[in-house]
Amino acid sequence: MTVNSSSRHLRVAIIGGGPGGLATAIALSKIPNVSVNIYEQATVLREVGAGISIGSNSWNVLELLGVADTLTSGHPTWVILNMNGRSGEELDRREKPRNLEQRAPVRTQRTKLQSALLAHVKPGVIHLSKRLTRMVDKGKEGVELRFEDGSVVTADLVVGADGIRSVVRDTAWPNYEIKFTGTTIWRALLPWDNVKHLDPRFGITGWWHTPTTHVYFSPVGEGLWEIASRAWQDPATHSANKKSWGVPVDNAHVESHFTEYLPAIREALARVPPGGWREFAAFAGPELSQLTAWDNKVVLVGDSSHALSGAFGSGAGFAMEDGWILAQALAYWKNDTGKALPLFDTIRLPYYSRMYAHLSSEADKRAAKLKGLGNPTFDERVRNKIITDGGKDMSWIYKNDIGAIQYNGSKEAHSSPVRCIR
């Protein structure tokens, strides 16, 4: 990055201290004349969830941020399974090509990624117990942020990194609406030693399916094992009370959704200690036509910008990519948000638009396949929902090199070995 002393001073307020917010702060801290503050509503900064996947795309952006060498824990995921949860039949085995020159794809604890990022955030940047309640557009003076504790700050640029239930998005895009998808997720971590003798396949990352549910198992390193179980119910009749996000839930309630599964799977679920489950209601929202608002004083990163409910299993990677690209756009335009934020839109909007289009296409294909079967059996319905990397070349996501972006001054930006905006 070229240091330019003529760049204007920019006050940036990042709302949310998850991977996207932390990565954005790290990237912005490398730009001259930018002051960064993160405002996080939690009283203690901690991740909610269990495991997280770090693939090639995420490693690429972690390298650019200077964080990759700090993240050292995880379970290599060279092999991914899809299994019939009732019969135990192996439906799909995907073995990723091993390249000794690249870092291994891993499944690790969400807290490990957070700790690695935190190690690179400058002291005094993070402010806890700051629940945003109101944003006011003050024109040329910036954006006024009001918090639940009564404090008020003003920023030249507000970065909404506050997740799928984003207050920033809901304020700047008041007509945007997310809806319950019908899927509820229950997550837990437990010692690998407690379950490893139940089935040798439990040591391989993978999904175990029935037609409307699945159970995801994976080691996550440091002797821990992750369960992420999902069940779908008609959102038309179950949406009213589905507001949960990381709340404790009784073991019996979780286990009641997976009674059709193999005995070893049911036993694994039963070995989660009382209080070990956390429930998450999955929400999603429509594609946005812009990720910037209020005359380029507000920008969205991560799940706030594309409410896809974790559809590609790489949400943290996308959020970190957003933060890095935002920083490079600001550096390129010497902190001129009027030019930098449209550039950010130029790069990231088509990327997320492609994701929405892909999901729609895949859903149509699955529906057409089931319809063609007439009255599909249990096993046929299970085979129709195999989770892979998308059924075709998905390197544009999972091998994305966000550092290889060429911008030629026009309205187009694309991948290239030339890193012109750095």
Side-chain angles (χ1 to χ4, degrees):
M1 181 188 303
T2 302
V3 176
N4 192 317
S5 59
S6 66
S7 59
R8 65 185 68 184
H9 181 74
L10 192 67
R11 300 166 297 172
V12 181
I14 300 171
I15 308 301
L22 296 174
T24 302
I26 294 167
L28 290 174
S29 70
K30 304 177 190 296
I31 300 177
N33 298 323
V34 174
S35 60
V36 183
N37 287 280
I38 295 176
Y39 299 96
E40 165 59 43
Q41 65 180 1
T43 56
V44 178
L45 194 60
R46 60 184 178 86
E47 270 289 355
V48 179
I52 193 167
S53 293
I54 307 295
S56 177
N57 60 321
S58 296
W59 281 125
N60 285 338
V61 71
L62 288 169
E63 292 274 7
L64 292 167
L65 293 168
V67 175
D69 289 339
T70 313
L71 182 61
T72 58
S73 174
H75 168 73
T77 54
W78 294 115
V79 179
I80 304 290
L81 297 178
N82 275 268
M83 311 291 294
N84 185 311
R86 189 170 72 175
S87 69
E89 176 191 1
E90 183 177 304
L91 305 174
D92 181 78
R93 175 183 290 254
R94 178 162 45 89
E95 298 195 20
K96 302 175 185 177
R98 305 194 183 201
N99 185 340
L100 298 178
E101 297 180 359
Q102 296 180 340
R103 297 177 188 267
V106 299
R107 186 74 178 178
T108 190
Q109 300 167 64
R110 296 186 69 90
T111 53
K112 296 300 179 182
L113 174 61
Q114 185 183 59
S115 295
L117 291 165
L118 280 171
H120 294 266
V121 176
K122 294 180 179 180
V125 167
I126 302 174
H127 308 274
L128 300 175
S129 301
K130 294 293 183 180
R131 181 185 293 274
L132 181 66
T133 58
R134 190 181 180 200
M135 287 170 43
V136 181
D137 186 351
K138 305 295 284 188
K140 293 182 179 180
E141 296 178 17
V143 178
E144 184 180 86
L145 302 171
R146 294 182 175 271
F147 298 94
E148 193 173 61
D149 63 2
S151 59
V152 180
V153 300
T154 301
D156 302 306
L157 175 62
V158 177
V159 180
D162 47 344
I164 201 165
R165 293 167 174 76
S166 172
V167 175
V168 175
R169 184 198 60 227
D170 290 349
T171 303
W173 287 262
N175 296 322
Y176 191 85
E177 184 180 5
I178 59 173
K179 294 181 179 180
F180 177 53
T181 65
T183 296
T184 304
I185 308 132
W186 298 279
R187 297 187 172 108
L189 288 175
L190 64 161
W192 169 234
D193 285 346
N194 289 7
V195 295
K196 64 182 182 182
H197 62 282
L198 294 175
D199 191 313
R201 296 170 294 183
F202 289 178
I204 304 174
T205 300
W207 288 267
W208 299 72
H209 300 278
T210 70
T212 59
T213 69
H214 74 243
V215 178
Y216 175 88
F217 291 149
S218 182
V220 291
E222 298 189 335
L224 291 174
W225 193 63
E226 172 192 9
I227 306 176
S229 51
R230 293 186 176 222
W232 185 87
Q233 297 169 305
D234 186 352
T237 56
H238 289 83
S239 60
N241 60 349
K242 284 297 182 182
K243 307 294 183 185
S244 55
W245 188 255
V247 301
V249 62
D250 291 339
N251 292 44
H253 175 69
V254 177
E255 293 171 36
S256 69
H257 293 82
F258 304 97
T259 57
E260 291 183 289
Y261 281 75
L262 291 168
I265 296 175
R266 299 200 306 271
E267 180 60 27
L269 300 181
R271 293 192 180 185
V272 174
W277 288 108
R278 293 293 183 271
E279 181 179 278
F280 301 79
F283 282 73
E287 181 180 352
L288 285 168
S289 59
Q290 272 188 291
L291 308 180
T292 58
W294 289 10
D295 294 326
N296 297 307
K297 296 191 291 290
V298 176
V299 61
L300 302 178
V301 301
D303 287 348
S304 64
S305 73
H306 56 282
L308 292 171
S309 193
F312 293 93
S314 194
F318 302 152
M320 294 187 294
E321 289 175 346
D322 285 343
W324 191 83
I325 284 294
L326 175 62
Q328 307 320 302
L330 286 167
Y332 184 84
W333 286 115
K334 304 172 187 176
N335 298 343
D336 183 343
T337 59
K339 295 179 178 178
L341 266 63
L343 173 54
F344 176 82
D345 259 345
T346 296
I347 295 170
R348 295 308 275 172
L349 264 178
Y351 192 60
Y352 291 127
S353 181
R354 188 175 180 182
M355 291 185 194
Y356 275 95
H358 174 81
L359 290 175
S360 177
S361 173
E362 288 298 304
D364 290 345
K365 289 177 184 177
R366 291 178 190 271
K369 186 175 180 180
L370 279 181
K371 186 177 180 180
L373 292 172
N375 186 23
T377 65
F378 180 100
D379 290 346
E380 286 173 332
R381 291 169 64 200
V382 168
R383 280 193 288 272
N384 193 51
K385 64 189 289 280
I386 291 174
I387 297 173
T388 66
D389 273 350
K392 55 184 179 181
D393 180 18
M394 297 294 287
S395 60
W396 59 278
I397 286 183
Y398 298 109
K399 294 183 181 179
N400 188 33
D401 183 0
I402 198 62
I405 296 293
Q406 180 178 356
Y407 175 64
N408 59 13
S410 70
K411 293 184 178 181
E412 297 180 356
H414 59 274
S415 296
S416 165
V418 182
R419 296 176 179 179
C420 294
I421 69 168
R422 292 187 64 192

